Amino acid sequence: MQTSQIDLVDFGAEHLEAAVNLSRQAGWPHRPEDWQMALAVSSGVVAVEDESRVVGTALVTSYGKDCATINMVIVDEAMRGRGLGRKLMDAALVIAGNRQLRLVATSDGLPLYQKLGFREIDSVLQHQGHVPIVAAPNDVEPALEADFDTIAALDRAAFGADRHDLLDYIGKVGRFAVIRRAGQVHGFAALRAFGRGEVIGPVVAANSDDARTLISFFMASRPGAFLRVDTTADTGISPWLAAHGLAHVGGGVAMRTASVEAATLSEPKTFALANQALG
Ligand SMILES: CC(C)(COP(=O)(O)OP(=O)(O)OC[C@H]1O[C@@H](n2cnc3c(N)ncnc32)[C@H](O)[C@@H]1OP(=O)(O)O)[C@@H](O)C(=O)NCCC(=O)NCCS
């Protein structure tokens, strides 16, 4: 039997179409625009078979010099179990350098990440559904351009790293809302098109009441729309999401390399992820 040659090359725009096909094959909802966004804020690697066919992908999204997420790790179904996932991860680890690493693992990816020294931090809970009629809350409003620095600062405090570029991109393709009290921004949420519909996230707030209020604001603005929210078990808002039309449909395991501490108890807190890939 003739063996094929597999090369790892830098992930470029020319690989996007094949990447979309791979994520569809894996049952993921990413549209070309979602891959485009991921690539715009990331560096990555693709595995190419016989110089033509893309059979694997991995992206590294760096948040400043200290932190990165590894995401979109996919190997073509027909090529799994032959060490390709491991090779893609090794290449991703080189791109990430000595940054602290985070990812959300599927059950397929979990054994690989455990072997590479990632440890489990929390459960990620994926909620989605068609939005029922929801009353609009009073103290949330669309963000002003002048709020961006405060939004970025709140996100940095909650996430533990600077996600300026990501938030900038989200601002271009979506919109932000803020809780403003006595002129001060106390939390924010973002809404953008993603996958089968739209996603609410990130959501950063001082407490779960404020997080629910922010989510309600976007739900109230999109009756009947297909909305998704990726939260973590420790936020405690999962039952509320399920009771408000966004069913729990799956999720993953939030993992980090050993050098990163688990989320602190300090305020503000991340109540919903930008998505599972970007954290
Ligand atoms: C996850 C995925 C990328 C792995 O790709 P792959 O090419 O099959 O992975 P590899 O063959 O390199 O195997 C990776 C390691 O995990 C181990 N492994 C795989 N399944 C395992 C299992 N069920 N139990 C224990 N170890 C397992 C392998 O032995 C290997 O370890 P080694 O490098 O020490 O030999 C692939 O299954 C995939 O694309 N799944 C769908 C998309 C997905 O879920 N991606 C993960 C996103 S977080």
Side-chain angles (χ1 to χ4, degrees):
M1 193 180 81
Q2 205 181 353
T3 53
S4 57
Q5 183 189 325
I6 306 284
D7 297 304
L8 297 193
V9 302
D10 290 350
F11 197 142
E14 67 276 21
H15 302 122
L16 280 171
E17 198 182 328
V20 173
N21 290 336
L22 278 183
S23 58
R24 282 203 186 121
Q25 186 198 58
W28 297 1
H30 296 70
R31 306 164 306 152
E33 295 89 336
D34 301 324
W35 268 102
Q36 227 155 21
M37 173 172 164
L39 187 58
V41 296
S42 312
S43 303
V45 63
V46 293
V48 181
E49 183 184 34
D50 293 336
E51 296 181 8
S52 59
R53 199 168 76 91
V54 174
V55 291
T57 58
L59 290 182
V60 179
T61 311
S62 298
Y63 298 127
K65 289 198 175 75
D66 299 330
C67 177
T69 62
I70 294 188
N71 54 80
M72 309 313 283
V73 180
I74 310 174
V75 169
D76 189 297
E77 259 169 14
M79 306 289 285
R80 290 182 195 160
R82 306 188 206 171
L84 197 47
R86 177 65 168 248
K87 280 199 185 113
L88 286 162
M89 277 303 290
D90 287 345
L93 294 175
V94 171
I95 295 172
N98 53 11
R99 289 181 176 84
Q100 300 164 334
L101 297 175
R102 307 181 189 189
L103 56 79
V104 177
T106 60
S107 52
D108 275 359
L110 198 61
L112 172 59
Y113 305 133
Q114 281 167 336
K115 284 187 176 182
L116 289 168
F118 285 80
R119 64 194 168 93
E120 300 178 19
I121 295 290
D122 202 352
S123 299
V124 172
L125 307 171
Q126 179 178 338
H127 286 262
Q128 63 192 38
H130 291 278
V131 178
I133 305 286
V134 172
N138 289 326
D139 46 2
V140 181
E141 59 188 46
L144 305 172
E145 221 168 302
D147 294 327
F148 186 80
D149 286 347
T150 310
I151 287 172
L154 284 169
D155 186 74
R156 185 190 181 122
F159 188 84
D162 185 358
R163 301 202 293 175
H164 212 278
D165 291 349
L166 171 65
L167 296 169
D168 211 30
Y169 199 105
I170 290 174
K172 284 184 193 129
V173 296
R175 53 200 168 102
F176 287 102
V178 295
I179 292 191
R180 200 185 308 275
R181 293 190 189 112
Q184 294 263 20
V185 171
H186 285 261
F188 78 88
L191 175 79
R192 68 177 198 282
F194 174 77
R196 291 173 58 188
E198 290 162 295
V199 65
I200 300 175
V203 176
V204 172
N207 54 57
S208 61
D209 284 345
D210 282 359
R212 288 192 290 256
T213 302
L214 284 158
I215 293 169
S216 299
F217 174 81
F218 280 132
M219 289 175 81
S221 76
R222 305 293 293 122
F226 185 83
L227 278 189
R228 170 171 171 168
V229 178
D230 291 293
T231 189
T232 45
D234 73 328
T235 66
I237 65 168
S238 170
W240 178 84
L241 290 168
H244 287 77
L246 305 186
H248 175 210
V249 296
V253 180
M255 304 184 88
R256 298 186 182 184
T257 44
S259 52
V260 186
E261 291 313 311
T264 63
L265 294 174
S266 66
E267 296 175 359
K269 182 176 172 67
T270 303
F271 284 87
L273 312 183
N275 64 13
Q276 292 189 25
L278 299 166

